[in-house]
Amino acid sequence: MTPTTTTTALAPHPDRLLPADPGARAVARTVYEAVRDAPIISPHGHVDAALIADDQPFPDPAALLVTPDHYVLRLLHANGVGLEALGRVDLSGTHPAPPGREVWRRLAEHWEDFAGTPVRYWFETELHDVFGLTEQPSAANADEQYDRIAGLLTTPALRPRALFDTFGIDVLATTDGPTDDLAAHARLADDPTFTGRVLPTFRADAVFDPSRPDWRHVVASIGEAAGIDTGTHDGLLAALRARRQYFIEHGATATDTGVLDAGSTPLPAVERERIHAAALRDPSSVSAADATAYRHDMLFRWAEMSVDDGLVMQLHPGVIRNHHSPTLERFGPDTGHDLPAVGAFTEPLRPLLEAFGTVPGFHLVLFTVDETVFSREIGPLAGFYPAVYAGAPWWFIDTPAAIGRYRAAVTDSAGFTKTSGFIDDTRAYCSIPARHDMARRADAAYLASLVVTHQLSEEDAVRTAQRIVSDIPRATFKL
């Protein structure tokens, strides 16, 4: 493409995302103002706790805002920018990582490619509100903006802990592997100068699929961390229970699980042990049918564990990981080529829900990247089962338009109480307030539509908005 050579003012409109109709817009303003400055509760994200515990200055603008953000990477890659030019380590060794300034220039040159996307929306809010930029990035001002942001990153006000307070974060959940020692979380919990809450989330996806090449290593490492022999399936379950308890002792309230599908049919103990033993001998010998059966049984066992220990169970099936093998081989995972699959919950989860769906205290939060299932499956499930909560639009559909569609699709069946609150799901630390502000505006717009059609009073709309950002996520995630 031809690089942009002109600059445009960067001035996010105060009524962005609010309704075009003047009457509805006035109501939405009232609703939004009631939650605009409310503390941020982020119960599902991917910021590294060590970032906050260490409180070191961010390295440079590109390393902070571009390279770790797969939303940004995938759109730039789609428009012809190689990942090697965006700071991702090239495992082939053929392209050394470019300087951060060069990475920032690529973003600025392709700024117009983000027009109309939620990524552009987050970026504009972030660049304006956090870094004080008044011009949109372009080829003409790329170096100037890079230098300005780089200078700000050396100041105490832009250190991670200072931003935690500036952003108004109350609770921030991280995502952590089953053998993580959670040392950074412990340091934060023991630090009297840090008043926020950074909570670990237990994620052990690799143990669900015995056909994975790394499955034996993961199973062994969990056993080592727990001090329990994982040579049997019962041993693995015992080790996982122990590790979950370790996370609970460090403040965890939830697990997170991403699997290909939501199948949850349990296996007899003898079958579980048979597949487990075969996988320990040679994962490549496990048939596709056995691997699937094992995974489905593990999902059932996961719910069983949550019933016992109280951890909220987050589930997001339906994502095809690492769709492009050459990119995976050169740049590793989380580089923008995980893609949606068709979602299904009602039948696949029936065994799990028949066993646990009405057990007091069990919380199962369902996420999807296939929004067609919100009205067809997730909303109705949340509208019957006490255990089920409709997770917010996430990943490919955490957009203003999709948030409105989600509210319309789920509210009819499940109301507001059986939802999750907004999920930012981000590694991009500085985008957290922009993402939550977007959700608050989108929800204000939806609530205003109910007010002007006389389905809800303005007072109820304000109170509902306040519950969405506070009471509801606290209750759903047991915070």
Side-chain angles (χ1 to χ4, degrees):
M1 63 167 284
T2 302
T4 302
T5 56
T6 59
T7 57
T8 305
L10 179 61
H13 196 283
D15 286 339
R16 57 195 182 279
L17 304 187
L18 302 188
D21 175 77
R25 185 166 63 246
V27 175
R29 283 174 182 159
T30 299
V31 174
Y32 169 68
E33 286 298 321
V35 295
R36 182 184 65 181
D37 298 320
I40 289 174
I41 297 173
S42 177
H44 176 124
H46 299 279
V47 172
D48 187 351
L51 174 83
I52 302 165
D54 296 341
D55 198 33
Q56 295 299 309
F58 295 105
D60 67 70
L64 173 62
L65 302 172
V66 180
T67 303
D69 194 331
H70 62 85
Y71 291 89
V72 178
L73 296 182
R74 66 186 306 273
L75 275 172
L76 288 171
H77 183 270
N79 283 280
V81 183
L83 294 176
E84 70 278 0
L86 297 173
R88 298 295 301 209
V89 175
D90 185 349
L91 300 176
S92 72
T94 56
H95 291 87
R101 184 181 299 276
E102 292 297 324
V103 176
W104 187 261
R105 285 173 180 166
R106 300 293 84 75
L107 170 71
E109 291 167 0
H110 286 264
W111 185 249
E112 291 183 354
D113 294 329
F114 290 87
T117 68
V119 181
R120 169 79 166 255
Y121 178 93
W122 301 327
F123 247 131
E124 288 185 348
T125 304
E126 188 176 356
L127 294 176
H128 181 272
D129 293 356
V130 179
F131 301 104
L133 299 188
T134 57
E135 292 181 347
Q136 294 183 14
S138 69
N141 65 19
D143 286 345
E144 178 186 352
Q145 290 194 339
Y146 181 89
D147 290 336
R148 174 177 172 78
I149 297 172
L152 289 171
L153 293 180
T154 66
T155 64
L158 271 292
R159 297 272 282 270
R161 291 200 189 186
L163 288 175
F164 195 98
D165 294 335
T166 300
F167 294 163
I169 300 174
D170 182 19
V171 180
L172 179 68
T174 62
T175 301
D176 309 276
T179 63
D180 198 305
D181 64 8
L182 305 181
H185 295 84
R187 285 161 52 199
L188 289 169
D190 293 341
D191 188 342
T193 67
F194 182 73
T195 58
R197 297 174 67 195
V198 178
L199 309 179
T201 300
F202 190 80
R203 184 162 181 176
D205 292 359
V207 303
F208 283 69
D209 184 359
S211 65
R212 286 176 53 137
D214 62 344
W215 182 82
R216 285 188 295 182
H217 169 74
V218 171
V219 167
S221 66
I222 291 171
E224 183 178 348
I228 296 174
D229 182 7
T230 54
T232 65
H233 189 262
D234 281 347
L236 173 60
L237 295 182
L240 287 168
R241 289 180 185 275
R243 292 304 298 167
R244 288 166 64 108
Q245 188 59 45
Y246 181 83
F247 271 61
I248 290 170
E249 292 166 0
H250 285 74
T253 70
T255 69
D256 183 27
T257 302
V259 286
L260 183 59
D261 65 81
S264 60
T265 302
L267 287 173
V270 65
E271 278 297 286
R272 301 200 307 267
E273 291 293 358
R274 177 186 66 79
I275 299 171
H276 188 89
L280 285 179
R281 289 193 300 271
D282 179 12
S284 66
S285 69
V286 177
S287 69
D290 277 353
T292 298
Y294 188 96
R295 186 177 75 244
H296 290 178
D297 177 82
M298 280 296 298
L299 197 63
F300 185 92
R301 305 301 156 195
W302 217 235
E304 192 172 52
M305 291 183 196
S306 283
V307 167
D308 291 341
D309 63 26
L311 287 176
V312 175
M313 181 177 171
Q314 298 179 87
L315 176 63
H316 54 272
V319 176
I320 299 172
R321 303 283 177 174
N322 305 310
H323 191 266
H324 190 242
S325 298
T327 295
L328 175 64
E329 292 168 3
R330 279 193 65 188
F331 300 103
D334 301 319
T335 45
H337 53 113
D338 295 342
L339 294 172
V342 175
F345 293 87
T346 303
E347 281 302 318
L349 284 177
R350 189 169 187 173
L352 186 158
L353 292 174
E354 287 191 327
F356 310 117
T358 58
V359 174
F362 176 46
H363 288 196
L364 173 62
V365 187
L366 301 179
F367 295 99
T368 184
V369 287
D370 175 6
E371 65 177 281
T372 66
V373 302
F374 279 134
S375 61
R376 188 177 70 244
E377 302 194 34
I378 292 178
L381 286 168
F384 172 77
Y385 286 100
V388 175
Y389 293 79
W394 158 84
W395 203 344
F396 287 91
I397 53 175
D398 55 351
T399 71
I403 288 172
R405 293 192 294 268
Y406 159 82
R407 289 295 178 200
V410 168
T411 304
D412 286 350
S413 295
F416 293 96
T417 303
K418 294 300 299 295
T419 60
S420 66
F422 180 63
I423 301 298
D424 57 63
D425 186 47
T426 188
R427 292 175 176 81
Y429 186 55
C430 288
S431 73
I432 290 174
R435 294 175 192 237
H436 282 263
D437 182 74
M438 176 200 74
R440 293 173 186 189
R441 290 173 180 273
D443 281 337
Y446 177 72
L447 288 164
S449 74
L450 299 183
V451 173
V452 298
T453 53
H454 308 293
Q455 300 177 70
L456 206 63
S457 71
E458 188 169 304
E459 293 77 11
D460 281 342
V462 167
R463 177 59 188 145
T464 300
Q466 292 169 331
R467 293 177 61 227
I468 287 171
V469 302
S470 180
D471 300 346
I472 286 172
R474 289 184 191 279
T476 301
F477 289 92
K478 303 183 180 181
L479 300 172

